[in-house]
Amino acid sequence: MDRRHFLEISGWSFLGLAASGSLLGACKPGSKEAKKIMPSPTNTKLFWGDLHNHCNLTYGHGDMRDAFEAAKGQLDFVSVTPHAMWPDIPGRNDPRLSWVIDYHTGAFKRLRAGGYDKYVKMTNEYNREGEFLTFIGYEAHSMEHGDHVALNYDLNAPLVECTSIEDWKQKAKGHKVFITPHHMGYQTGYRGYNWKFFTEGNQTPFVEMYSRHGLAETDQGDYPYLHDMGPRQWEGTILYGLEQGHKFGLIGSTDQHSGYPGSYGDGRVGVLAPSLTRDAVWEALRTRHVCCATGDNIKIDFRLNDAMMGDVVRGNSRRIYLNVEGQSCIDYIDIVKNGRLLARMNGPMTPVMPEGDTVHCKVKVEFGWNREERYVTWKGNLSIDKGRILKVTPCFRGAAFTSPQEGETEFHTHVNKIISASERQTELLLYTSKNPNTLTPATQAVILELEMPKDGIITADFNGKQFKHSLGELLEGSRSHFMIGWLSEAILFNRAMPESCYMIEHYMEDKEPERDTDYYYVRVRQRDQQWAFSSPIWVERV
């Protein structure tokens, strides 16, 4: 399919290209012409994980075993992270902060009174090389330096005491430990990150840009900081750090406090590695071959010359290749150079009905919306009568907690599960509660990747009720159903998304170095407000 025909049938548009950028639409992927000018392919795959989340092991909710089970259900690797220390904890003489101090210090004592040994044992129990990887990690708070998480390669790593984050870094030298700042954008001196203490290298190869706290790319845009720890500010953000000349990869983590690692929409990290082995994933983290996603597993293949995200290369002519696969309709894709837009690719306002009878598409089926406090159990299946289910992707959420609040009581984690999946049917066991407010979802969902004719029927059979829609109907728009009448729980068949609205391949060339070292990264926004960000590629002027 040539570029002109693609634009006609997909609704995509290409705007904001720099004067130095030239679309290489004549180059067909895999052709001799493309091979002469396009970056070389890689042998890596994208694996997804959560390296920072919490359960009731220290302070938080939900049993640790349930947390590991939840992680297994939708991630490739995880670190279930206890809170470990806060060397410069403030407010010891401030009655307003006494409760906050008590729940922190009490949790630290419980960790040292047998909790950490239990944690190490269970982390080892769940580790399965090539199937599901687990890592030992723990968190230290700091007013001066900002909060950090230590992630260990060693599955028997000890709990290292520290008097400050800088002391922690010194003690970690010579060991396979990553020390990662998170919720970057809070005010400096109040647990926000201080870029003056950033040290480039193997100890801090990446930083956490997104979590339940919000998005710290810059001081503007989606996902502002709304936690009681305060608003975000410019000096702690990612773009501020890049503009200081620092080199680091970008990850997301949930920072969940309800025992649900990988909770959908709360943040996760993707790693580009050749295999799901401890050594391969660790090396991908060390070399910054990582990306950040808010929830959907949005695939970003971003290369510049023969470099991949996280790399540093030299050259004045920069051949840029980008291939993105979303999980829903893409709103826009940006290529950012030195903090400004080099190119923006806008997706369609409304997905365009695909040509032909058989369609390759994605349909998200969502469950929830009841108004009572009680959980609703959904047991049943989604099935099709024609074609094939190519993949079932979970979008499972934990309860909406970022940190404990006074008076909260402990609860049992409800672990959602894909019981089985075949080419015609998937069986699900889900639990939903009411949405906490009109801006915070508590729904559960799966995304069906389908190859089927437009007259094929998709059926939801749950809790004694059955609802059916043809793929053609869902390509026209979403359909919803209450289970037992108005204000009861509901099922939403989201609009079917054809390939043309969630896939884009882009070629361009930038021949204008601006600095001795320029940085480039990619940001992807879907229309459902799910985001993904590549790590930067740095290019040195020749």
Side-chain angles (χ1 to χ4, degrees):
M1 183 186 301
D2 64 29
R3 180 61 57 93
R4 183 179 298 276
H5 186 50
F6 174 83
L7 294 176
E8 288 174 351
I9 69 167
S10 68
W12 280 85
S13 62
F14 295 80
L15 301 174
L17 295 174
S20 59
S22 59
L23 283 174
L24 304 179
C27 293
K28 201 171 183 180
S31 67
K32 290 182 179 179
E33 293 81 7
K35 289 178 181 177
K36 289 178 183 178
I37 59 176
M38 288 299 104
S40 301
T42 70
N43 66 340
T44 59
K45 301 175 183 178
L46 194 54
F47 300 103
W48 295 97
D50 184 2
L51 298 176
H52 173 203
N53 57 88
H54 306 287
C55 63
N56 67 5
L57 177 63
T58 46
Y59 61 84
H61 297 289
D63 183 73
M64 181 167 56
R65 186 169 296 280
D66 286 335
F68 278 109
E69 289 293 326
K72 266 177 53 178
Q74 58 183 352
L75 299 173
D76 299 306
F77 59 93
V78 74
S79 172
V80 177
T81 321
H83 300 90
M85 62 198 83
W86 191 347
D88 61 353
I89 192 167
R92 296 187 186 278
N93 298 315
D94 185 346
R96 186 176 54 92
L97 299 177
S98 60
W99 178 78
V100 176
I101 293 172
D102 288 347
Y103 82 69
H104 281 93
T105 55
F108 302 153
K109 289 177 182 177
R110 290 194 301 275
L111 186 65
R112 287 156 179 80
Y116 189 76
D117 292 339
K118 177 184 175 184
Y119 166 61
V120 170
K121 182 179 179 181
M122 194 171 292
T123 300
N124 278 264
E125 176 189 340
Y126 274 89
N127 187 65
R128 293 287 184 272
E129 190 80 358
E131 297 177 15
F132 179 68
L133 300 179
T134 61
F135 292 88
I136 297 289
Y138 47 88
E139 178 175 355
H141 303 320
S142 171
M143 299 295 281
E144 181 183 9
H145 302 103
D147 291 11
H148 288 66
V149 172
L151 186 75
N152 296 271
Y153 176 90
D154 186 354
L155 276 169
N156 292 300
L159 178 60
V160 176
E161 306 289 351
C162 70
T163 58
S164 70
I165 300 299
E166 290 301 295
D167 177 51
W168 213 18
K169 290 181 180 180
Q170 289 297 320
K171 290 176 178 176
K173 284 185 176 178
H175 301 277
K176 295 178 83 169
V177 181
F178 298 136
I179 297 181
T180 306
H182 65 268
H183 54 50
M184 313 287 291
Y186 284 118
Q187 186 177 345
T188 306
Y190 294 91
R191 293 174 62 185
Y193 189 57
N194 189 334
W195 281 105
K196 294 177 182 178
F197 293 100
F198 179 79
T199 305
E200 185 181 319
N202 292 340
Q203 195 174 76
T204 306
F206 51 85
V207 302
E208 183 186 290
M209 180 168 77
Y210 177 82
S211 71
R212 279 194 60 80
H213 285 266
L215 178 63
E217 180 190 19
T218 182
D219 54 352
Q220 305 176 78
D222 286 353
Y223 299 108
Y225 282 19
L226 301 176
H227 191 275
D228 54 18
M229 286 173 59
R232 62 186 174 188
Q233 67 168 18
W234 167 240
E235 284 81 3
T237 62
I238 299 304
L239 276 175
Y240 181 88
L242 288 171
E243 287 298 299
Q244 302 303 304
H246 300 309
K247 296 182 178 68
F248 49 87
L250 303 177
I251 73 164
S253 305
T254 61
D255 200 0
Q256 256 262 338
H257 285 66
S258 64
Y260 217 102
S263 176
Y264 181 74
D266 293 338
R268 58 184 56 180
V269 53
V271 300
L272 284 169
S275 62
L276 186 59
T277 62
R278 191 169 212 80
D279 286 340
V281 169
W282 190 266
E283 181 64 10
L285 291 167
R286 187 191 68 81
T287 53
R288 303 185 292 246
H289 294 163
V290 295
C291 61
C292 167
T294 59
D296 274 344
N297 296 343
I298 299 170
K299 299 175 183 176
I300 301 176
D301 182 2
F302 170 47
R303 286 175 269 147
L304 190 154
N305 294 347
D306 286 326
M308 58 196 293
M309 55 186 179
D311 288 344
V312 181
V313 293
R314 301 189 72 208
N316 292 343
S317 178
R318 291 91 187 259
R319 297 172 287 113
I320 296 170
Y321 170 76
L322 178 62
N323 194 325
V324 172
E325 178 183 345
Q327 297 291 345
S328 187
C329 185
I330 294 174
D331 190 6
Y332 54 82
I333 301 171
D334 292 334
I335 300 175
V336 177
K337 177 185 179 183
N338 297 336
R340 64 175 182 82
L341 287 185
L342 179 66
R344 169 166 285 188
M345 290 138 273
N346 288 304
M349 178 68 180
T350 303
V352 177
M353 179 69 73
E355 298 174 344
D357 181 50
T358 300
V359 177
H360 189 162
C361 64
K362 297 182 181 182
V363 178
K364 185 177 186 179
V365 185
E366 206 161 351
F367 304 80
W369 287 278
N370 57 294
R371 72 192 306 256
E372 287 83 23
E373 296 291 342
R374 64 180 179 86
Y375 274 87
V376 172
T377 301
W378 301 81
K379 190 171 184 180
N381 63 75
L382 298 169
S383 62
I384 61 174
D385 67 340
K386 298 179 182 179
R388 295 185 300 153
I389 299 176
L390 303 176
K391 189 175 183 179
V392 182
T393 301
C395 304
F396 297 156
R397 288 185 168 94
F401 290 110
T402 307
S403 64
Q405 298 298 314
E406 196 165 7
E408 284 174 355
T409 56
E410 177 62 44
F411 65 87
H412 172 67
T413 300
H414 291 72
V415 180
N416 303 284
K417 295 179 180 179
I418 298 174
I419 304 298
S420 65
S422 66
E423 288 192 345
R424 287 293 179 91
Q425 178 177 289
T426 181
E427 185 181 359
L428 307 175
L429 177 61
L430 309 175
Y431 303 92
T432 65
S433 60
K434 72 174 187 178
N435 297 322
N437 53 63
T438 57
L439 297 176
T440 304
T443 56
Q444 310 295 347
V446 294
I447 298 171
L448 305 179
E449 185 173 353
L450 304 170
E451 187 178 78
M452 63 184 295
K454 291 176 183 174
D455 65 354
I457 302 297
I458 303 173
T459 300
D461 193 340
F462 286 85
N463 300 352
K465 295 291 182 70
Q466 193 177 87
F467 305 102
K468 299 173 179 280
H469 291 287
S470 71
L471 180 59
E473 284 183 276
L474 297 181
L475 285 164
E476 293 174 350
S478 60
R479 301 289 191 273
S480 62
H481 303 275
F482 286 116
M483 292 294 286
I484 51 177
W486 186 52
L487 300 182
S488 71
E489 59 269 22
I491 294 179
L492 170 63
F493 292 78
N494 282 270
R495 180 191 291 268
M497 300 294 173
E499 283 185 298
S500 60
C501 77
Y502 67 78
M503 295 189 73
I504 184 65
E505 190 173 38
H506 178 63
Y507 306 82
M508 65 180 294
E509 189 171 7
D510 180 17
K511 295 184 177 180
E512 293 188 1
E514 296 175 358
R515 304 173 179 177
D516 290 340
T517 302
D518 297 311
Y519 65 86
Y520 301 75
Y521 71 93
V522 172
R523 60 208 297 267
V524 180
R525 187 187 196 274
Q526 294 181 168
R527 291 192 60 79
D528 61 4
Q529 209 179 359
Q530 295 298 322
W531 282 86
F533 303 82
S534 78
S535 286
I537 297 174
W538 292 266
V539 190
E540 298 172 348
R541 189 201 306 261
V542 176

mmCIF file of all heavy atoms in Angstrom, residues 282-318:
data_model
loop_
_atom_site.group_PDB
_atom_site.id
_atom_site.type_symbol
_atom_site.label_atom_id
_atom_site.label_comp_id
_atom_site.label_asym_id
_atom_site.label_seq_id
_atom_site.Cartn_x
_atom_site.Cartn_y
_atom_site.Cartn_z
ATOM 1 N N TRP A 282 17.943 -7.579 32.408
ATOM 2 C CA TRP A 282 18.815 -6.683 33.164
ATOM 3 C C TRP A 282 19.692 -5.846 32.223
ATOM 4 O O TRP A 282 19.857 -4.638 32.426
ATOM 5 C CB TRP A 282 19.691 -7.493 34.120
ATOM 6 C CG TRP A 282 20.444 -6.634 35.098
ATOM 7 C CD1 TRP A 282 21.730 -6.159 34.963
ATOM 8 C CD2 TRP A 282 19.957 -6.123 36.347
ATOM 9 N NE1 TRP A 282 22.059 -5.390 36.048
ATOM 10 C CE2 TRP A 282 20.997 -5.351 36.913
ATOM 11 C CE3 TRP A 282 18.746 -6.258 37.027
ATOM 12 C CZ2 TRP A 282 20.854 -4.717 38.141
ATOM 13 C CZ3 TRP A 282 18.604 -5.619 38.244
ATOM 14 C CH2 TRP A 282 19.656 -4.856 38.790
ATOM 15 N N GLU A 283 20.228 -6.486 31.182
ATOM 16 C CA GLU A 283 21.072 -5.762 30.235
ATOM 17 C C GLU A 283 20.259 -4.713 29.479
ATOM 18 O O GLU A 283 20.750 -3.610 29.204
ATOM 19 C CB GLU A 283 21.717 -6.746 29.257
ATOM 20 C CG GLU A 283 22.654 -6.123 28.231
ATOM 21 C CD GLU A 283 23.889 -5.462 28.840
ATOM 22 O OE1 GLU A 283 24.144 -5.635 30.060
ATOM 23 O OE2 GLU A 283 24.607 -4.771 28.090
ATOM 24 N N ALA A 284 19.007 -5.022 29.138
ATOM 25 C CA ALA A 284 18.156 -4.041 28.462
ATOM 26 C C ALA A 284 17.880 -2.844 29.372
ATOM 27 O O ALA A 284 17.873 -1.692 28.919
ATOM 28 C CB ALA A 284 16.848 -4.708 28.043
ATOM 29 N N LEU A 285 17.666 -3.099 30.661
ATOM 30 C CA LEU A 285 17.492 -2.001 31.611
ATOM 31 C C LEU A 285 18.774 -1.177 31.729
ATOM 32 O O LEU A 285 18.737 0.060 31.737
ATOM 33 C CB LEU A 285 17.095 -2.562 32.975
ATOM 34 C CG LEU A 285 15.700 -3.191 33.091
ATOM 35 C CD1 LEU A 285 15.575 -3.987 34.384
ATOM 36 C CD2 LEU A 285 14.604 -2.130 33.027
ATOM 37 N N ARG A 286 19.903 -1.849 31.819
ATOM 38 C CA ARG A 286 21.190 -1.153 31.987
ATOM 39 C C ARG A 286 21.511 -0.265 30.791
ATOM 40 O O ARG A 286 22.066 0.836 30.942
ATOM 41 C CB ARG A 286 22.309 -2.171 32.198
ATOM 42 C CG ARG A 286 23.662 -1.538 32.552
ATOM 43 C CD ARG A 286 24.796 -2.543 32.490
ATOM 44 N NE ARG A 286 25.068 -2.981 31.132
ATOM 45 C CZ ARG A 286 25.797 -2.282 30.250
ATOM 46 N NH1 ARG A 286 26.304 -1.109 30.584
ATOM 47 N NH2 ARG A 286 25.997 -2.748 29.033
ATOM 48 N N THR A 287 21.166 -0.723 29.588
ATOM 49 C CA THR A 287 21.512 0.007 28.361
ATOM 50 C C THR A 287 20.407 0.977 27.931
ATOM 51 O O THR A 287 20.449 1.498 26.822
ATOM 52 C CB THR A 287 21.818 -0.971 27.222
ATOM 53 O OG1 THR A 287 20.731 -1.888 27.066
ATOM 54 C CG2 THR A 287 23.087 -1.763 27.513
ATOM 55 N N ARG A 288 19.420 1.176 28.783
ATOM 56 C CA ARG A 288 18.343 2.152 28.550
ATOM 57 C C ARG A 288 17.421 1.741 27.404
ATOM 58 O O ARG A 288 16.725 2.586 26.831
ATOM 59 C CB ARG A 288 18.901 3.554 28.279
ATOM 60 C CG ARG A 288 19.799 4.110 29.357
ATOM 61 C CD ARG A 288 20.211 5.534 29.060
ATOM 62 N NE ARG A 288 21.084 5.653 27.914
ATOM 63 C CZ ARG A 288 22.345 6.050 27.950
ATOM 64 N NH1 ARG A 288 22.893 6.367 29.109
ATOM 65 N NH2 ARG A 288 23.057 6.146 26.850
ATOM 66 N N HIS A 289 17.401 0.476 27.054
ATOM 67 C CA HIS A 289 16.505 0.003 25.989
ATOM 68 C C HIS A 289 15.114 -0.226 26.587
ATOM 69 O O HIS A 289 14.599 -1.340 26.629
ATOM 70 C CB HIS A 289 17.056 -1.270 25.353
ATOM 71 C CG HIS A 289 18.338 -1.053 24.613
ATOM 72 N ND1 HIS A 289 19.183 -2.063 24.246
ATOM 73 C CD2 HIS A 289 18.933 0.088 24.165
ATOM 74 C CE1 HIS A 289 20.249 -1.575 23.613
ATOM 75 N NE2 HIS A 289 20.107 -0.263 23.555
ATOM 76 N N VAL A 290 14.531 0.866 27.046
ATOM 77 C CA VAL A 290 13.280 0.812 27.800
ATOM 78 C C VAL A 290 12.318 1.875 27.295
ATOM 79 O O VAL A 290 12.716 2.861 26.669
ATOM 80 C CB VAL A 290 13.533 1.022 29.313
ATOM 81 C CG1 VAL A 290 14.360 -0.109 29.878
ATOM 82 C CG2 VAL A 290 14.214 2.364 29.585
ATOM 83 N N CYS A 291 11.032 1.666 27.588
ATOM 84 C CA CYS A 291 10.014 2.663 27.262
ATOM 85 C C CYS A 291 9.012 2.740 28.404
ATOM 86 O O CYS A 291 8.971 1.878 29.281
ATOM 87 C CB CYS A 291 9.322 2.333 25.942
ATOM 88 S SG CYS A 291 8.452 0.750 25.916
ATOM 89 N N CYS A 292 8.205 3.772 28.375
ATOM 90 C CA CYS A 292 7.226 4.052 29.425
ATOM 91 C C CYS A 292 5.832 3.996 28.814
ATOM 92 O O CYS A 292 5.604 4.563 27.739
ATOM 93 C CB CYS A 292 7.491 5.443 30.004
ATOM 94 S SG CYS A 292 6.179 6.105 31.059
ATOM 95 N N ALA A 293 4.908 3.305 29.485
ATOM 96 C CA ALA A 293 3.512 3.289 29.053
ATOM 97 C C ALA A 293 2.623 3.563 30.254
ATOM 98 O O ALA A 293 2.954 3.198 31.383
ATOM 99 C CB ALA A 293 3.156 1.952 28.415
ATOM 100 N N THR A 294 1.489 4.196 29.995
ATOM 101 C CA THR A 294 0.551 4.454 31.082
ATOM 102 C C THR A 294 -0.277 3.213 31.394
ATOM 103 O O THR A 294 -0.549 2.917 32.551
ATOM 104 C CB THR A 294 -0.376 5.629 30.744
ATOM 105 O OG1 THR A 294 -1.099 5.342 29.543
ATOM 106 C CG2 THR A 294 0.431 6.908 30.564
ATOM 107 N N GLY A 295 -0.697 2.481 30.357
ATOM 108 C CA GLY A 295 -1.521 1.299 30.574
ATOM 109 C C GLY A 295 -1.458 0.324 29.418
ATOM 110 O O GLY A 295 -1.058 -0.819 29.574
ATOM 111 N N ASP A 296 -1.865 0.774 28.237
ATOM 112 C CA ASP A 296 -1.840 -0.108 27.075
ATOM 113 C C ASP A 296 -0.417 -0.450 26.672
ATOM 114 O O ASP A 296 0.489 0.405 26.748
ATOM 115 C CB ASP A 296 -2.551 0.558 25.895
ATOM 116 C CG ASP A 296 -4.051 0.325 25.919
ATOM 117 O OD1 ASP A 296 -4.496 -0.573 26.649
ATOM 118 O OD2 ASP A 296 -4.773 1.049 25.211
ATOM 119 N N ASN A 297 -0.226 -1.687 26.213
ATOM 120 C CA ASN A 297 1.079 -2.138 25.731
ATOM 121 C C ASN A 297 1.301 -1.621 24.312
ATOM 122 O O ASN A 297 1.234 -2.360 23.331
ATOM 123 C CB ASN A 297 1.162 -3.666 25.762
ATOM 124 C CG ASN A 297 1.076 -4.222 27.155
ATOM 125 O OD1 ASN A 297 1.270 -3.501 28.139
ATOM 126 N ND2 ASN A 297 0.777 -5.500 27.264
ATOM 127 N N ILE A 298 1.554 -0.330 24.213
ATOM 128 C CA ILE A 298 1.770 0.320 22.919
ATOM 129 C C ILE A 298 3.206 0.034 22.471
ATOM 130 O O ILE A 298 4.156 0.348 23.180
ATOM 131 C CB ILE A 298 1.520 1.833 23.022
ATOM 132 C CG1 ILE A 298 0.073 2.101 23.443
ATOM 133 C CG2 ILE A 298 1.832 2.527 21.707
ATOM 134 C CD1 ILE A 298 -0.213 3.552 23.800
ATOM 135 N N LYS A 299 3.347 -0.576 21.317
ATOM 136 C CA LYS A 299 4.667 -0.962 20.826
ATOM 137 C C LYS A 299 5.284 0.179 20.024
ATOM 138 O O LYS A 299 4.683 0.660 19.069
ATOM 139 C CB LYS A 299 4.565 -2.213 19.955
ATOM 140 C CG LYS A 299 4.015 -3.426 20.690
ATOM 141 C CD LYS A 299 3.834 -4.602 19.743
ATOM 142 C CE LYS A 299 3.213 -5.790 20.454
ATOM 143 N NZ LYS A 299 2.946 -6.924 19.526
ATOM 144 N N ILE A 300 6.469 0.602 20.429
ATOM 145 C CA ILE A 300 7.203 1.651 19.722
ATOM 146 C C ILE A 300 8.524 1.075 19.227
ATOM 147 O O ILE A 300 9.381 0.702 20.024
ATOM 148 C CB ILE A 300 7.494 2.866 20.631
ATOM 149 C CG1 ILE A 300 6.204 3.467 21.176
ATOM 150 C CG2 ILE A 300 8.288 3.925 19.869
ATOM 151 C CD1 ILE A 300 6.427 4.607 22.149
ATOM 152 N N ASP A 301 8.668 0.975 17.924
ATOM 153 C CA ASP A 301 9.957 0.622 17.315
ATOM 154 C C ASP A 301 10.529 1.919 16.758
ATOM 155 O O ASP A 301 10.142 2.389 15.694
ATOM 156 C CB ASP A 301 9.752 -0.417 16.210
ATOM 157 C CG ASP A 301 11.067 -0.857 15.572
ATOM 158 O OD1 ASP A 301 12.137 -0.376 16.009
ATOM 159 O OD2 ASP A 301 11.026 -1.666 14.631
ATOM 160 N N PHE A 302 11.448 2.518 17.507
ATOM 161 C CA PHE A 302 12.031 3.816 17.165
ATOM 162 C C PHE A 302 13.524 3.637 16.983
ATOM 163 O O PHE A 302 14.214 3.220 17.914
ATOM 164 C CB PHE A 302 11.734 4.815 18.291
ATOM 165 C CG PHE A 302 12.475 6.119 18.198
ATOM 166 C CD1 PHE A 302 12.547 6.831 17.012
ATOM 167 C CD2 PHE A 302 13.105 6.642 19.324
ATOM 168 C CE1 PHE A 302 13.234 8.036 16.944
ATOM 169 C CE2 PHE A 302 13.784 7.850 19.271
ATOM 170 C CZ PHE A 302 13.853 8.544 18.081
ATOM 171 N N ARG A 303 13.989 3.911 15.773
ATOM 172 C CA ARG A 303 15.419 3.776 15.488
ATOM 173 C C ARG A 303 15.922 4.985 14.719
ATOM 174 O O ARG A 303 15.179 5.609 13.962
ATOM 175 C CB ARG A 303 15.682 2.486 14.698
ATOM 176 C CG ARG A 303 15.566 1.239 15.561
ATOM 177 C CD ARG A 303 15.703 -0.038 14.761
ATOM 178 N NE ARG A 303 14.420 -0.516 14.284
ATOM 179 C CZ ARG A 303 14.244 -1.157 13.138
ATOM 180 N NH1 ARG A 303 15.268 -1.363 12.335
ATOM 181 N NH2 ARG A 303 13.050 -1.585 12.781
ATOM 182 N N LEU A 304 17.164 5.316 14.964
ATOM 183 C CA LEU A 304 17.807 6.439 14.294
ATOM 184 C C LEU A 304 19.165 5.951 13.814
ATOM 185 O O LEU A 304 19.986 5.511 14.631
ATOM 186 C CB LEU A 304 17.929 7.617 15.257
ATOM 187 C CG LEU A 304 18.353 8.959 14.671
ATOM 188 C CD1 LEU A 304 17.832 10.111 15.528
ATOM 189 C CD2 LEU A 304 19.864 9.051 14.534
ATOM 190 N N ASN A 305 19.396 6.029 12.504
ATOM 191 C CA ASN A 305 20.531 5.338 11.883
ATOM 192 C C ASN A 305 20.476 3.881 12.366
ATOM 193 O O ASN A 305 19.458 3.240 12.197
ATOM 194 C CB ASN A 305 21.839 6.048 12.187
ATOM 195 C CG ASN A 305 21.889 7.439 11.527
ATOM 196 O OD1 ASN A 305 21.054 7.747 10.666
ATOM 197 N ND2 ASN A 305 22.826 8.263 11.926
ATOM 198 N N ASP A 306 21.502 3.364 12.992
ATOM 199 C CA ASP A 306 21.417 1.982 13.484
ATOM 200 C C ASP A 306 21.316 1.934 15.009
ATOM 201 O O ASP A 306 21.650 0.926 15.632
ATOM 202 C CB ASP A 306 22.630 1.170 12.998
ATOM 203 C CG ASP A 306 22.529 0.840 11.511
ATOM 204 O OD1 ASP A 306 21.387 0.630 11.051
ATOM 205 O OD2 ASP A 306 23.551 0.815 10.814
ATOM 206 N N ALA A 307 20.836 3.012 15.609
ATOM 207 C CA ALA A 307 20.664 3.064 17.065
ATOM 208 C C ALA A 307 19.213 2.792 17.424
ATOM 209 O O ALA A 307 18.292 3.118 16.670
ATOM 210 C CB ALA A 307 21.083 4.425 17.588
ATOM 211 N N MET A 308 19.002 2.203 18.598
ATOM 212 C CA MET A 308 17.663 2.028 19.133
ATOM 213 C C MET A 308 17.513 2.896 20.367
ATOM 214 O O MET A 308 18.500 3.492 20.845
ATOM 215 C CB MET A 308 17.393 0.555 19.445
ATOM 216 C CG MET A 308 18.358 -0.065 20.418
ATOM 217 S SD MET A 308 18.312 -1.876 20.402
ATOM 218 C CE MET A 308 16.686 -2.164 21.055
ATOM 219 N N MET A 309 16.288 2.999 20.879
ATOM 220 C CA MET A 309 16.060 3.933 21.982
ATOM 221 C C MET A 309 16.980 3.617 23.156
ATOM 222 O O MET A 309 17.196 2.467 23.514
ATOM 223 C CB MET A 309 14.596 3.914 22.414
ATOM 224 C CG MET A 309 14.005 2.591 22.783
ATOM 225 S SD MET A 309 12.226 2.788 23.077
ATOM 226 C CE MET A 309 11.769 1.104 23.460
ATOM 227 N N GLY A 310 17.552 4.694 23.709
ATOM 228 C CA GLY A 310 18.511 4.572 24.795
ATOM 229 C C GLY A 310 19.953 4.700 24.358
ATOM 230 O O GLY A 310 20.837 4.902 25.193
ATOM 231 N N ASP A 311 20.219 4.594 23.047
ATOM 232 C CA ASP A 311 21.596 4.580 22.543
ATOM 233 C C ASP A 311 22.132 5.994 22.297
ATOM 234 O O ASP A 311 21.380 6.968 22.204
ATOM 235 C CB ASP A 311 21.677 3.796 21.226
ATOM 236 C CG ASP A 311 21.520 2.302 21.414
ATOM 237 O OD1 ASP A 311 21.659 1.836 22.561
ATOM 238 O OD2 ASP A 311 21.269 1.599 20.417
ATOM 239 N N VAL A 312 23.446 6.080 22.172
ATOM 240 C CA VAL A 312 24.155 7.297 21.781
ATOM 241 C C VAL A 312 24.934 7.001 20.507
ATOM 242 O O VAL A 312 25.670 6.007 20.451
ATOM 243 C CB VAL A 312 25.130 7.770 22.881
ATOM 244 C CG1 VAL A 312 25.827 9.062 22.457
ATOM 245 C CG2 VAL A 312 24.404 7.967 24.209
ATOM 246 N N VAL A 313 24.742 7.822 19.455
ATOM 247 C CA VAL A 313 25.416 7.601 18.170
ATOM 248 C C VAL A 313 25.998 8.921 17.682
ATOM 249 O O VAL A 313 25.735 9.983 18.249
ATOM 250 C CB VAL A 313 24.454 7.028 17.112
ATOM 251 C CG1 VAL A 313 24.021 5.629 17.490
ATOM 252 C CG2 VAL A 313 23.243 7.926 16.915
ATOM 253 N N ARG A 314 26.763 8.833 16.604
ATOM 254 C CA ARG A 314 27.342 10.032 15.980
ATOM 255 C C ARG A 314 26.843 10.117 14.540
ATOM 256 O O ARG A 314 26.617 9.111 13.886
ATOM 257 C CB ARG A 314 28.870 9.976 15.998
ATOM 258 C CG ARG A 314 29.481 9.865 17.382
ATOM 259 C CD ARG A 314 30.987 10.050 17.312
ATOM 260 N NE ARG A 314 31.331 11.435 17.033
ATOM 261 C CZ ARG A 314 32.453 11.824 16.403
ATOM 262 N NH1 ARG A 314 33.312 10.925 15.970
ATOM 263 N NH2 ARG A 314 32.694 13.112 16.221
ATOM 264 N N GLY A 315 26.668 11.351 14.062
ATOM 265 C CA GLY A 315 26.269 11.536 12.672
ATOM 266 C C GLY A 315 25.490 12.815 12.475
ATOM 267 O O GLY A 315 24.687 13.194 13.333
ATOM 268 N N ASN A 316 25.712 13.478 11.357
ATOM 269 C CA ASN A 316 24.984 14.709 11.045
ATOM 270 C C ASN A 316 23.715 14.441 10.250
ATOM 271 O O ASN A 316 22.794 15.244 10.259
ATOM 272 C CB ASN A 316 25.882 15.674 10.275
ATOM 273 C CG ASN A 316 27.019 16.197 11.136
ATOM 274 O OD1 ASN A 316 26.963 16.092 12.370
ATOM 275 N ND2 ASN A 316 28.045 16.749 10.511
ATOM 276 N N SER A 317 23.683 13.327 9.538
ATOM 277 C CA SER A 317 22.486 12.919 8.832
ATOM 278 C C SER A 317 21.799 11.840 9.663
ATOM 279 O O SER A 317 22.406 10.802 9.952
ATOM 280 C CB SER A 317 22.827 12.382 7.439
ATOM 281 O OG SER A 317 21.665 11.942 6.777
ATOM 282 N N ARG A 318 20.561 12.074 10.049
ATOM 283 C CA ARG A 318 19.856 11.181 10.975
ATOM 284 C C ARG A 318 18.661 10.543 10.257
ATOM 285 O O ARG A 318 17.660 11.192 9.978
ATOM 286 C CB ARG A 318 19.367 11.944 12.222
ATOM 287 C CG ARG A 318 20.538 12.417 13.138
ATOM 288 C CD ARG A 318 21.025 13.813 12.771
ATOM 289 N NE ARG A 318 22.218 14.210 13.495
ATOM 290 C CZ ARG A 318 22.214 15.022 14.558
ATOM 291 N NH1 ARG A 318 21.083 15.498 15.015
ATOM 292 N NH2 ARG A 318 23.348 15.331 15.141
#
